[in-house]
Amino acid sequence: MHQIPCPWCGVRDETEFQYQGDATVRRPAAEASEEAYANYVYFRENPKGVHIEYWRHTGGCRRLLVVERDTVSHDIKAVRFAHIPGGGEDA
Amino acid sequence: MGNNDFITPLSHLGLREGEGVAGGDGLHLWDRGRVGFFQILARKGRTGAVATALGFDEAPRLASHGVYGTAFATTPGEWVLVCNDDEASETLRTVSGALVGSGYVSDQSFGRAAFRLSGVKARLVLAKGCALDWSPSVRGAGACAQTSMAGIGVIIHQIDDAPTYDLYCYAGFADSFWRWLICAGEEFGVDGRRLTKEWKRD
Amino acid sequence: MKTTAYRLSSGGAVDRSRPLSFQFDGAAYQGFAGDTLASALLANGVRLFGRSFKYHRPRGVMALGSAEPNALVELRAGAQREPNIQATMAELYDGLVARSQNRFPSLRYDLMAANQLAARFFVAGFYYKTFMWPSAFWEPVYEKLIRRAAGLGRAADAGDPDRYDHMHAHPDVLVVGGGPSGLAAARAASRVGARTMLVDENPNLGGALRFERTAIDGAPGDMWTDQITSEIADCGNGEILRRTTALGRYDHNVVLALERVSDHLPTPEKGRPRQRLWIIRPKQIVVASGAEERPIAFADNDKPGVMLSSAVRGFVNRYAVAPGRRVAIVTVNDDGYLTARDLKAAGVDVTLIADARGRTSVVSAELEAAGAPVLRNALPEQALGGIEVSGLRLQNAAGDRLADHPCDVIAVAGGYNPRIQLLSQSGAAPVWREDLLSFVPPETDDATQVAGACRGVYDLKACIEDGVAAGAEAARRAGFTDAADAPRPEPRPVAAAKLFEAPKPIGRSRGKAFVDFQNDVTADDVRLAVREGYEAVEHLKRYTTLGMATDQGKLSSVNGLAVLAEARGKPIAEVGTTRFRPPYAPAAIGAFAGYERGETFQPVRRTAMHRSHEQACATFVEAGQWLRPRYYARAGEDMTAAIRREAAAVRNTLGVCDVSTLGKIDVYGPDAMEFLNRLYINNWAKLPVGKARYGVMLREDGHIFDDGTTSRLSDDHCFLTCTTANAARVLAHMEYAAEVLFPDYDVTFCSATEQWCGVAIAGPNSRNALGKLFDGFDVSDAALPFMGVAETELFGVKARVFRISFSGELAYEINVPWGAGEMLWRRLMEAGAEFDITPYGTEALSVLRIEKGHIAGPEIDGRTTAADVGLGRMMAKKDFIGKTLAARPGLTAADRPALVGVRPVSAEDRLRGGAHFVKDPDRFEQESLGWVSSVADSPNVGSWIGLGFLKGGAARLGERIYAAYPLKAEMTEVEICAPCFVDPEGERLRG
Amino acid sequence: MNYSEISLFREGLRGHVGWPRAWRDARPKPSYDAVIIGGGGHGLATAYYLAKNHGVSNVAVLEKGWIGGGNVGRNTTIIRSNYMLAPNTLFYEHAMKLWEGLERELNFNVMVSQRGVLNLYHSDAQRDAFARRGNAMRLSGVDAELLDADDVRRLVPMLDFENARFPIEGGLFQPRGGTVRHDAVAWGYARAADALGVDIIQNCEATAFRIEGGAVVGVETTSGFISAEKIGIAVAGHTSELARKADLRLPIESHVLQAFVTEGVKPILDTVVTFGAGHFYISQSDKGGLVFGGDLDGYNSYAQRGGFPMMHHVMSGGMAIMPRLGRLRLLRHWGGIMDMTMDGSPIICKTKVDGLYLNGGWCYGGFKATPASGWCFAHTIANDASHDLNAAFTIDRFRTGALLDEKGVGPNPWIQ
């Protein structure tokens, strides 16, 4: 069972979080092509190894976290807030 | 307010405000009835301003006690403020005033159930459903956490080292959460048959 | 006398002052407190415990504990019947009832034993090669037979009446195994202040010590154990869990352990669970799970009476039970001699020690000098006898037959297998040590220590040292830095002969040399698999079922690998092992489920008016976790009648419906409207304060996500509602948009779903009722026009009134705080009495919205677009989530099924949801042109009506086609119409 | 040697010393007409049908480990064709028809056991959704029955109709659905393909593609370079990793799906049953073990092991409808890696690289699809064009929007 260190709530069970997938994709500009949006919505790197992904702490602070996690060992390398560039705490 | 027409989330159990059940070793579980419960939301970049205006602590995981009551920093830029029912409307008025320009308050006083669990066995009851470590070396009086138990979102606040815990959950879940607490306490002598009721589908 | 036939007059740890009665296969026996079912039956001279899986061969006890493959019984009865329980793990209690399995009509005379006659054909994988002709025979004939023969015991007759629970724990150090190493480790860790938890699967601590006469520092093993145990318990930060098996080690060092809280009692005490699953999150783990003695493969090595040497010794030492009268010992190391020594001391005849080794050892020389009957270079060839062992056939290293040796027990010492399961579940491969003739654990991570026999350290003194060092190391890594650093003893090479399978019997022999006892896998089966190319270790396992029985190969895996390696001409290290899977020992499903089962499978959400609905005799329906009134049947009314009455009342006068379950979100901030503009497909920027608007949200992939009305309560405060089913997802969707997609907006929001409860009042009289409900509140069309919103007070409570309509009638939604829910309901009933106000449930609600063609769940199935449901024109020019991909050809194709109304051509026909539109009335196999998504038996239209999706959609209004429902062989002629059956101009709701 | 009662009897008499290898231990040749990467059910089936249906027998199957070591050996053995969207319905029905004749086809008893698949529903809305699916199946000529609560009682008496949190109202039943002895599928196809001349090469990993002028000319492996102008990828679970070597980025995520098996007991459950208000499906194997599963653990993973949260959810689901399971004991649980596409449906198509073909994205449907997957993939490779049955299973559908979203959850494979 994943133990995810939430920057706000501390280490919590994976069951408190809602997985939100690949955090490396970026929504294209409004005027971008269907192709660009399709790549954003559907196509994934899906690495075997370190994956940068979103987990929302719905059972705790509800914030969206960016988690760097190894998809083989499941070790978590880093966690930060998604809503703050740099991921520090709010100010 | 204090209108007799108001119900609490456990009214249907015939539970009077403050009534509860006891087990062995001083284990005690009761329904606190209604409390003032407010969600405070700071505007973007105004967290500090809100904290100053209301005298809140910005640090997570520890309750801060101010003039308006007890506050839990539930997430960056947000707090839950809890006060006694009889102070609720006054608190809402003053807090709303203090927040103008820097944040907002959402009154949730009716949207939550407030239970209190106390006694040396309270930790064991919690441990049956709460994945957090409440042993004294890790969390003591003043510790608070938002987590989930038995599939129900709860806010837990340890108010003393008895230990005594305040538990808050959504009103609609109150019946199920209460049932779970009674069941978890039965091993320690709690007998809640009179105070649980099979929910009805028809 | 019978009850003590094999019970020794003295010694052992059983309490002779507490006799217990029990039954096995209907016969009454007596044992003592401290017995297991196995020891008690052996004490009574019972040696035949069960029949094997495939050949139905007679089987007895082979081991002492959780590795036992043969002595499986059914315990308890009825709803509490437990199949396949190891008699060696079942603690005796007064009144215990057990039954043997997989035999007919009786254990001793089992007709199925006839299988043995055909055994030569029932080799590994035989069924892949046959039962193919005729193919029609497979399910009805062949498979029926196979299934009936399969399994061992029988499951319970009824639902499990017992309780299970979970318990979370967070020790600094978790020690797995309460033997010498584990105890030493736990003491070392706890004494420096680390919160230490020790789990052991047995009722008593001490591990192997419990079965030995060995003294530690001059004191008996049990005294040492008690001493250490009390030190751990008394230091204030140690916790010991007995009867608790560590099942598995999961990601991030989470360990699951199963405590058998009540299995040693006739029934659980009040309020106590039968079993408890511990979810343990230790900082550090010390695995000290010990080692398992392994058998040797030789002909008929499965006969009752063939036992592990350590087991024979253990039964004598701990339970004071002599497994037989004449014991022959087969050994590859000194263990057999230890058994001989202890048996002699207990007065049990050891008539032979057959040592596979040529050379002497210190221990063997000692015993030989003391007159022990030792035969060197002697290898077991076959166990002789009928149902039970009566003798042992031997040959020497040169392959010459030796004289048969009469005996009733053959004690086999084949070397030791460390219990490494917990350490290789993660996938790391164990390491073969030729000098230890066993697998040792793989390299461990920095949160795990391994101590004692589990890593090949077999010497008792070294085991304790190792435990002390490992415990201290674990404590130090957990942050208790003053833990002393001690050297770790290295495993010492074993002085043992390398013998996994004995030589084949000389001459013709039907004897089978078993590798996996419970699954009846022989050494020949292994060789056959290799011959056929199933030589990868995983192929071997899957082809022969080696190691897949309830004992998970605890005794069989290494011997199997050895035979495999030999057959492939490779060293054991090269053939590798199969991956161990959790759990370490079989564990009850109920324990994993815990509290979440039956009606407490999921919590229930009740609205504030739940009790009012109960009083109004509502029938409830699950909506997600909510319970919502489905309909309110009056006396003598069935569901259909009730729904028609409720739906008609709304159109004719006045109805009231609990809509509290709708998702509600307070949206605050100067940019609130701009934010909504990105979420909804339609324009929001110009929504004035005091007005509500209907909106549709898309997923970014262009399909409809959710819909609802949102109101502007002030410049910077909106009140958003969404569907009950999607409430949580919509909140997360908004959070994602605010945090990631549009981080610059000055907007913030929170759920208000449970703060407010609400009702919809609908019908021509709704305004009149509203006026009566709120005195001094202007409810005129001018003051509160369609889509208008007002905040007011109701009997001193804050209230919000929205003039919105889902039913198409003049209607309002009233929200008040949760606590005022029952009051609101009661006052409404009073205010509406003169208009015959009628509570209506979700069914009538559905009828009404279908009559108006309003979409709901069945139309928003995650595959439909705004255009599909006729809302394409709502899509504004601005950027919103889903805009770009909604324009893809696949989502805009002309032939996409689009929303239409449908009604049967003949008014008495009924429609069904899930029917498909087709052209040809005469065939149930043809192309589907679309489907019927929602139907209603409409009292206001006077027939069944429906909504559906049809290729061509609006272009086909007036066409007559067919609604096919092959599942009920129904074909209904229908007319396609506009998706609105009542008041198409919408005059009623504006009235 | 042909498998039959006769050969079994003959070998029985002489101690089974005469059985030959089920498939040769082949070493790679320098060149093949076609190379299939992946010795799982799909890869082996593809090789078999290439040789059998298209006369292409100079084929190698490359397996980095031991054949059948992937999902064909880690699933819950269920076969069914109860899909709603036409392309899926027709494709999986084709698989079902191939299953029904597979023993004879392969001369290997894979124990196709059509004891029925029952999907429980717990509300009228769910019933109508199931009816829409069941009627779609019937319109396509697939068997389906809509059962009410009493029918379900008769069919599966062990279900709990009294205390269920989500009461059982009925079920959608496919009588022809059932289970198959999963490992045997890999072995059976391997043996049959081998007999037609296919080289099955174990412990040989593909490390790189050699692509010249936009066309594939061969594959680098741990056993050296192998040239071939047609190469098929059938490595579901690891598709993204291998495709990346050919510069293909796919609409696929890898997720763990767990499977569970209990100790063996005498028969208590004849059909396959799935719970409609939680994630739980179960059947009883011929050996007596109850085999069951649930949903994805819910995060990208290449680890063949599962965690406690889904385990708890699955066991609770079981106890919600089958409280008799309470005292039955879990024997083993493990995980398989699913290629989850962004609409839940598979991919069998050509790629932007000439001669390189892709078979993957099987989500939960991989095992039951095995024969049709191999059959269609073989056709696609042999003819350099899709068969009607797999024409919709393209990568391009994610750009055009011609999606096949059975669940209607959109591009979020982890949403359950």
Side-chain angles (χ1 to χ4, degrees), chain B residues 5-7 12 41 43-44 104 107-111 127-128 131 133 135 172 176 179 186-187 198 201, chain C residues 163 165-166 168 170 195 272 276 599 604 606 620 622 716 743 746 748 751 754-755 817-819 826:
Chain B
D5 282 331
F6 292 146
I7 56 164
H12 62 286
L41 305 98
R43 279 179 55 184
K44 230 176 205 57
Y104 303 90
D107 183 357
Q108 304 270 337
S109 304
F110 282 96
K128 288 190 177 195
D133 186 355
S135 48
S176 286
R179 260 184 99 167
E186 276 173 355
E187 178 174 7
E198 303 304 291
R201 188 174 288 104
Chain C
R163 163 185 303 198
D165 74 7
H166 292 172
H168 297 271
H170 310 76
R195 285 184 297 157
R272 299 261 292 165
R276 167 172 296 153
E599 68 172 25
V604 175
R606 300 162 51 101
F620 292 90
E622 275 83 4
D716 57 358
D746 187 353
T748 174
S751 167
E754 303 234 15
Q755 165 68 9
W818 205 98
R826 194 172 60 251

Side-chain angles (χ1 to χ4, degrees), chain C residues 174-178 199-201 244-251 253-258 280 282 284-290 417-430 440-445 447-451 454 552 554 578-585, chain D residues 305 333:
Chain C
L174 170 68
V175 179
V176 176
V199 299
D200 186 279
E201 67 178 337
T244 305
T245 307
L247 301 177
R249 185 157 150 271
Y250 293 82
D251 288 331
N253 228 24
V254 175
V255 173
L256 295 184
L258 183 71
I280 310 170
Q284 290 280 317
I285 301 177
V286 177
V287 178
S289 43
N417 297 335
R419 297 192 185 101
I420 57 177
Q421 286 87 341
L422 218 52
L423 293 152
S424 52
Q425 285 171 351
S426 62
V440 296
E443 277 303 305
T444 57
D445 54 72
T448 311
Q449 304 294 318
V450 188
C454 181
Q552 291 282 290
K554 290 188 178 68
T578 60
R579 178 166 171 179
F580 288 105
R581 294 291 185 175
Y584 168 75
Chain D
R305 61 181 188 274
H333 74 108

Side-chain angles (χ1 to χ4, degrees), chain C residues 45-384:
Chain C
V46 176
R47 309 216 304 177
L48 175 59
F49 280 65
R51 290 280 176 168
S52 72
F53 177 71
K54 192 157 87 176
Y55 303 129
H56 287 254
R57 291 169 65 103
R59 295 286 169 85
V61 178
M62 174 154 288
L64 273 171
S66 62
E68 173 58 37
N70 289 339
L72 307 185
V73 300
E74 272 178 12
L75 218 53
R76 305 175 200 264
Q80 277 154 320
R81 187 166 61 210
E82 296 152 29
N84 312 333
I85 299 299
Q86 292 161 311
T88 51
M89 291 297 284
E91 292 175 61
L92 200 63
Y93 56 80
D94 202 47
L96 177 146
V97 175
R99 189 173 175 286
S100 62
Q101 312 184 138
N102 204 38
R103 79 288 184 280
F104 176 83
S106 80
L107 186 53
R108 193 156 284 274
Y109 308 102
D110 177 8
L111 296 180
M112 300 291 280
N115 285 7
Q116 289 175 66
L117 302 178
R120 55 164 56 183
F121 306 111
F122 292 0
V123 292
F126 77 98
Y127 32 71
Y128 301 124
K129 301 185 174 111
T130 180
F131 299 135
M132 288 181 271
W133 309 267
S135 60
F137 270 35
W138 173 247
E139 286 93 355
V141 183
Y142 302 133
E143 189 182 34
K144 240 195 184 61
L145 294 173
I146 293 174
R147 287 177 79 81
R148 196 170 305 139
L152 285 167
R154 299 164 304 158
D157 288 338
D160 191 341
D162 290 343
R163 163 185 303 198
Y164 300 85
D165 74 7
H166 292 172
M167 189 75 89
H168 297 271
H170 310 76
D172 296 308
V173 176
L174 170 68
V175 179
V176 176
S181 308
L183 286 166
R187 179 176 60 172
S190 59
R191 71 160 32 149
V192 295
R195 285 184 297 157
T196 305
M197 175 178 269
L198 174 82
V199 299
D200 186 279
E201 67 178 337
N202 302 296
N204 315 88
L205 299 178
L209 278 181
R210 295 168 302 152
F211 305 110
E212 306 294 348
R213 299 188 167 218
T214 336
I216 303 176
D217 315 332
D222 283 353
M223 270 179 69
W224 181 84
T225 301
D226 296 343
Q227 172 59 28
I228 307 292
T229 305
S230 50
E231 283 181 40
I232 297 167
D234 300 344
C235 75
N237 48 355
E239 181 172 14
I240 295 174
L241 299 178
R242 295 174 176 79
R243 301 186 176 95
T244 305
T245 307
L247 301 177
R249 185 157 150 271
Y250 293 82
D251 288 331
H252 299 197
N253 228 24
V254 175
V255 173
L256 295 184
L258 183 71
E259 180 183 11
R260 297 180 302 280
V261 178
S262 310
D263 284 356
H264 60 294
L265 306 170
T267 54
E269 293 160 14
K270 183 177 180 305
R272 299 261 292 165
R274 174 196 170 215
Q275 297 180 343
R276 167 172 296 153
L277 186 73
W278 286 81
I279 302 153
I280 310 170
R281 299 165 186 75
K283 288 199 186 78
Q284 290 280 317
I285 301 177
V286 177
V287 178
S289 43
E292 208 75 68
E293 191 168 39
R294 71 177 163 243
I296 298 168
F298 60 91
D300 298 330
N301 59 342
D302 63 327
K303 270 193 201 307
V306 179
M307 302 170 74
L308 293 172
S309 157
S310 56
V312 172
R313 189 161 79 238
F315 279 113
V316 168
N317 289 343
R318 176 144 197 111
Y319 304 107
V321 172
R325 305 264 185 237
R326 293 173 52 85
V327 179
I329 295 172
V330 169
T331 190
V332 301
N333 56 21
D334 285 346
D335 198 86
Y337 292 87
L338 303 182
T339 301
R341 185 195 58 202
D342 289 2
L343 264 56
K344 188 155 182 286
V348 179
D349 271 353
V350 175
T351 56
L352 171 73
I353 303 176
D355 191 331
R357 301 173 296 183
R359 59 190 186 289
T360 62
S361 69
V362 182
V363 182
S364 65
E366 210 173 282
L367 263 85
E368 207 167 357
V374 179
L375 257 184
R376 291 196 191 296
N377 291 313
L379 306 174
E381 176 177 310
Q382 185 164 21
L384 305 173

Side-chain angles (χ1 to χ4, degrees), chain D residues 260 279-280 292-295 309-319:
Chain D
F260 310 81
H279 298 101
F280 175 73
F292 57 102
D295 210 320
M310 182 47 63
M311 196 175 172
H312 175 224
H313 179 84
V314 168
M315 309 264 181
S316 297
M319 291 298 286

